[in-house]
Amino acid sequence: MALPAAFVLPSGCPPWLRCEATSSNGRLRSNRMLNTTWRLAVSVEEASWSTARRIVEKREEAGGMRVERAMVEGGREWPEEERKGWKAYLEEAEKMIRPAGGPPRWFSPSDDALRSNDSPLLLFLPGIDGVGLGLISSHRKLGRLFDIWCLHIPVMDRTPFTELVKIVEETVRSENLRSPKRPIYLVGDSIGACLAMAVAARNPDIDLVLILANPATSFGRSQLQLLTPLLEAMPSQLSPGLPYFLALMAGDPLRMVLDNTLKGLPLQNTTRELTEDLTTLSSFLPVLADILPKETFQWKLEMLKSASSYINSRLHNVKAQTLILCSGRDQLLPSQQEGERLSRLLPNCDIRRFDDSGHFLFMDDNIDLVTIIKKTSRYRRGKHHDYASDFVPPTRKEVEKVLEENRLFNAVSSSVMLSTLEDGTIVKGLAGVPSEGPVLFVGLMGAVPVAPTNFFKLFASKSHILLYPGGVREALHRKGEEYKLFWPEQPEFVRMAARFGAKIVPFGVVGEDDFGQVVFDYEDWMKIPYLRSIIEAGMEQVVRLRTEASGEVANQQMYMPGIIPKFPGRFYFYFGKTFETEGRRHELRDRDKCQELYMQVKSEVERCIAYLKERRETDPYRNIVPRLLYQATHGFTSDVPTFEI
């Protein structure tokens, strides 16, 4: 493993950070610094990371920060598991706040070797603590997607809010000039969110993406403003920041007990976790006191007041794409109410609520910023989000979390998977599904099909693509239309598949009618004037699809059908015969030949559905009761048998 390309370490800086003040033009310098000389005491081949000593010699006056000779021992690579929670924060904060002087400066916790060259820039703007380690639980994951830099405001620094805005603004403008086609992400926490919005308001023409956690624009309606007169009467030797941190870090013990109980963890494990947390807090009390001494806490409260006033008078100038993350248990700010207010005022804004989280949202072990960015389609490398090239595959942990969240449904539905081998043999499992792309899965279930441009990019990247030709009309079917196909007349997906030699795998899914019955459909909605107006108003707010299509498939109305649940049955999936298009590109340019293959694919989907509907009648475990009895006897993680193939 190669060493990270650039390390500039001021005395006392943690070994995993690249630290650098901005240059005179505000530009960040990482591996882009060409005049720096590095010396390594031992090479990577001679010693492991756990014993390596890195000696960096450099003297420079840069933006007011003097970088001296630094010797860092015990440097190591970040483990695959992120260091989570307050313990990691406090361990690194202890190193960063000493010495406490100097101007605000940027540092980067990411390893250049982990990310691609076209990664967008992400600037983290800290909350009231100012340390800049608020994203420590996500540093490694973020570092794979972004060029991440964090702002560190030393404890004794007294830079006014407006000057902080200029510092960030200079960096944003410089980096935008260097890479004008890439977005710049501003992730702000509390007062850092105000800082991000202020920069966006002053630079509406720069492509910014704002991610704001519990913005402090609600300071005027918070209890924090009541602390100012109390601080003036408090002895200087006392640290008001200590109870502030303790109250926010202690969390909700009852919530932890309930969460762990639902996960099936023993009560003694929960007790041990709580004890370890309290032990960690007690061992770092001096650090907590040093992060926010009385004078600094007073200064930060005054800055919160000025920051809130500054940005509230300029909200109308914020045009950037914005995502607001608000906590339901924020003890400092009315964050959820403020999130609602800002989402109404900002023109390009979405909101996500986290009802069980406190003020320090990013320090919550249950919050993963990378997952949030992916779920909200906020990750992009260019001017617009590209659903194909900007797609980031889910990690193993994300997949496991989804499976855990849907564990009850998966257990109740007990899905059966069947596939077809090359010789036509039907087997249980997915052995008959091609493993190498490009592959096009064509079924029946219902969703919005991809745009032609995305279709092209996915095929070009040899992806496995899931296509639902029937779209919304098929998914939100009427009464009595279960398993009826509504496909377009034009076989466009066949021509596209042939262009790339993709394999086409038709499949069918059966089982929805064993879980619920549609009793109130689109026709019923449209007969009631009030409900009809709701549907029509909703359709005006969504992107119109299939505008060029004709026939029934063109009816892509979005509505919620009335469904009566049934005693749970079972889902059945069947992947049918694979159709090869490799070498048939010229042949399938013929309209009749293309239409013939299109109809063969459609017929195969219908055959898969008919097969499953017939065979499930012989499944002794189609009903949930015999399945539960089987699992009670053989174990609840065992596979439940199905009909004979």
Side-chain angles (χ1 to χ4, degrees):
M1 179 176 291
L3 286 170
F7 277 85
V8 182
L9 302 170
S11 178
C13 190
W16 49 270
L17 298 177
R18 301 177 315 197
C19 297
E20 182 63 57
T22 54
S23 59
S24 59
N25 63 359
R27 177 171 296 178
L28 296 172
R29 289 172 297 180
S30 168
N31 56 340
R32 299 188 283 274
M33 296 181 291
L34 303 178
N35 60 342
T36 303
T37 302
W38 312 107
R39 284 201 312 163
L40 300 179
V42 290
S43 69
V44 178
E45 290 76 13
E46 295 170 332
S48 66
W49 273 81
S50 60
T51 58
R53 173 193 294 178
R54 289 172 289 168
I55 302 178
V56 181
E57 292 186 344
K58 180 176 173 64
R59 293 180 181 272
E60 171 180 300
E61 292 288 344
M65 183 181 81
R66 184 175 180 82
V67 183
E68 301 284 357
R69 169 183 173 136
M71 179 178 293
V72 180
E73 298 196 3
R76 59 182 175 83
E77 183 193 12
W78 278 78
E80 203 53 41
E81 274 295 317
E82 292 279 9
R83 298 192 301 165
K84 285 185 174 293
W86 286 102
K87 187 174 187 295
Y89 171 88
L90 292 170
E91 286 176 347
E92 303 306 335
E94 183 178 17
K95 303 168 188 176
M96 291 193 67
I97 64 175
R98 299 189 177 96
R105 48 189 175 265
W106 298 101
F107 70 88
S108 178
S110 61
D111 186 339
D112 288 341
L114 293 177
R115 59 181 173 82
S116 61
N117 293 328
D118 61 347
S119 297
L121 176 68
L122 184 150
L123 302 179
F124 175 65
L125 311 176
I128 193 173
D129 63 302
V131 179
L133 292 172
L135 298 180
I136 193 168
S137 294
S138 301
H139 278 165
R140 187 175 181 84
K141 291 180 69 175
L142 285 168
R144 291 190 175 102
L145 302 179
F146 298 96
D147 182 8
I148 174 176
W149 290 80
C150 307
L151 183 64
H152 172 63
I153 304 174
V155 173
M156 302 309 296
D157 179 72
R158 297 296 182 262
T159 303
F161 178 77
T162 52
E163 293 302 313
L164 289 176
V165 173
K166 293 179 181 178
I167 290 174
V168 178
E169 182 180 58
E170 288 177 1
T171 300
V172 166
R173 289 179 175 177
S174 174
E175 295 297 306
N176 181 64
L177 286 175
R178 195 176 65 86
S179 302
K181 295 183 179 180
R182 295 183 196 168
I184 297 176
Y185 285 71
L186 300 182
V187 179
D189 184 9
S190 184
I191 191 172
C194 295
L195 191 54
M197 285 188 282
V199 173
R202 291 164 58 99
N203 299 272
D205 296 329
I206 295 181
D207 185 12
L208 299 175
V209 179
L210 309 184
I211 301 178
L212 313 176
N214 301 324
T217 45
S218 62
F219 177 78
R221 291 175 281 114
S222 72
Q223 298 181 3
L224 280 174
Q225 60 179 339
L226 303 178
L227 293 178
T228 302
L230 296 177
L231 289 175
E232 294 176 354
M234 184 179 293
S236 58
Q237 62 269 26
L238 295 180
S239 173
L242 192 56
Y244 160 82
F245 272 114
L246 290 175
L248 296 174
M249 292 169 59
D252 187 345
L254 179 60
R255 176 195 165 198
M256 178 182 289
V257 172
L258 291 175
D259 286 348
N260 286 354
T261 301
L262 291 174
K263 293 177 182 178
L265 299 178
L267 184 60
Q268 66 183 72
N269 288 8
T270 304
T271 305
R272 184 172 64 250
E273 288 183 27
L274 289 171
T275 303
E276 291 174 353
D277 288 345
L278 292 175
T279 303
T280 299
L281 290 178
S282 62
S283 63
F284 284 101
L285 288 179
V287 179
L288 293 172
D290 290 344
I291 290 176
L292 282 179
K294 177 185 174 180
E295 295 79 9
T296 300
F297 199 33
Q298 286 178 299
W299 170 260
K300 293 294 178 69
L301 288 178
E302 289 299 321
M303 189 162 63
L304 276 170
K305 181 179 179 180
S306 63
S308 177
S309 175
Y310 181 95
I311 189 55
N312 275 314
S313 64
R314 294 167 173 81
L315 284 176
H316 60 280
N317 289 330
V318 178
K319 311 298 182 185
Q321 184 182 21
T322 305
L323 176 63
I324 297 178
L325 312 177
C326 50
S327 300
R329 298 190 178 186
D330 191 337
Q331 301 175 23
L332 298 183
L333 302 169
S335 292
Q336 288 210 341
Q337 297 91 325
E338 183 64 6
E340 295 287 350
R341 184 182 77 94
L342 292 175
S343 66
R344 292 192 298 268
L345 295 175
L346 301 179
N348 190 10
C349 180
D350 288 328
I351 183 173
R352 293 294 182 274
R353 302 167 187 82
F354 303 90
D355 295 336
D356 295 327
S357 297
H359 181 72
F360 290 115
L361 183 65
F362 295 133
M363 299 299 293
D364 191 325
D365 288 348
N366 297 313
I367 302 300
D368 188 327
L369 180 57
V370 174
T371 301
I372 293 171
I373 291 174
K374 291 195 288 188
K375 280 186 174 181
T376 55
S377 299
R378 282 299 190 277
Y379 185 70
R380 55 186 175 93
R381 300 179 180 90
K383 289 291 184 182
H384 305 284
H385 178 75
D386 188 315
Y387 286 94
S389 61
D390 288 333
F391 172 73
V392 181
T395 64
R396 178 180 295 273
K397 282 190 172 294
E398 288 171 340
V399 172
E400 291 174 350
K401 184 176 181 181
V402 172
L403 292 175
E404 178 64 27
E405 291 173 348
N406 294 275
R407 182 177 58 177
L408 179 60
F409 177 79
N410 291 335
V412 170
S413 61
S414 188
S415 300
V416 175
M417 294 284 184
L418 306 175
S419 59
T420 307
L421 301 179
E422 291 184 2
D423 61 1
T425 303
I426 301 173
V427 295
K428 189 174 181 181
L430 302 178
V433 176
S435 58
E436 296 184 2
V439 176
L440 176 64
F441 298 104
V442 182
L444 165 68
M445 275 179 70
V448 178
V450 297
T453 53
N454 292 336
F455 216 18
F456 180 91
K457 293 174 183 177
L458 291 168
F459 271 131
S461 62
K462 298 185 181 298
S463 300
H464 286 63
I465 307 169
L466 186 61
L467 174 68
Y468 304 110
V472 174
R473 176 63 182 89
E474 207 169 81
L476 304 179
H477 59 75
R478 317 295 195 246
K479 289 179 289 189
E481 292 180 347
E482 295 87 357
Y483 311 122
K484 185 176 180 181
L485 301 187
F486 296 94
W487 284 22
E489 297 177 0
Q490 300 300 321
E492 293 301 326
F493 73 80
V494 173
R495 293 193 181 94
M496 187 74 76
R499 180 172 183 175
F500 292 91
K503 302 176 181 68
I504 301 177
V505 182
F507 71 97
V509 183
V510 166
E512 65 155 295
D513 56 340
D514 272 352
F515 284 82
Q517 179 179 354
V518 177
V519 295
F520 198 83
D521 62 15
Y522 177 75
E523 306 298 338
D524 298 318
W525 276 75
M526 297 305 288
K527 293 175 183 178
I528 303 174
Y530 175 72
L531 298 180
R532 182 174 66 245
S533 63
I534 293 177
I535 293 180
E536 292 173 349
M539 289 299 296
E540 293 178 357
Q541 300 177 12
V542 299
V543 178
R544 299 301 299 269
L545 302 170
R546 299 287 177 88
T547 54
E548 78 291 347
S550 59
E552 191 62 27
V553 73
N555 297 325
Q556 298 285 311
Q557 294 89 352
M558 299 290 292
Y559 79 103
M560 183 59 66
I563 300 176
I564 295 179
K566 291 183 177 181
F567 206 62
R570 198 173 193 181
F571 278 114
Y572 302 84
F573 295 78
Y574 176 23
F575 293 84
K577 171 188 174 183
T578 298
F579 292 86
E580 296 280 355
T581 64
E582 181 71 37
R584 301 184 62 185
R585 180 176 179 179
H586 295 289
E587 174 192 351
L588 292 175
R589 285 180 178 176
D590 181 86
R591 178 171 305 199
D592 293 336
K593 291 287 186 181
C594 187
Q595 185 68 28
E596 179 183 353
L597 179 57
Y598 180 75
M599 295 308 297
Q600 290 176 356
V601 173
K602 184 178 181 181
S603 297
E604 181 67 6
V605 172
E606 293 173 328
R607 188 191 69 81
C608 291
I609 294 171
Y611 174 85
L612 292 175
K613 289 175 66 177
E614 177 185 356
R615 297 299 297 155
R616 70 174 176 175
E617 298 295 335
T618 64
D619 185 359
Y621 300 101
R622 177 179 174 183
N623 189 277
I624 189 174
V625 174
R627 291 203 303 272
L628 291 176
L629 292 175
Y630 180 90
Q631 290 179 322
T633 306
H634 297 79
F636 285 96
T637 59
S638 60
D639 290 332
V640 181
T642 185
F643 52 79
E644 292 292 333
I645 300 176

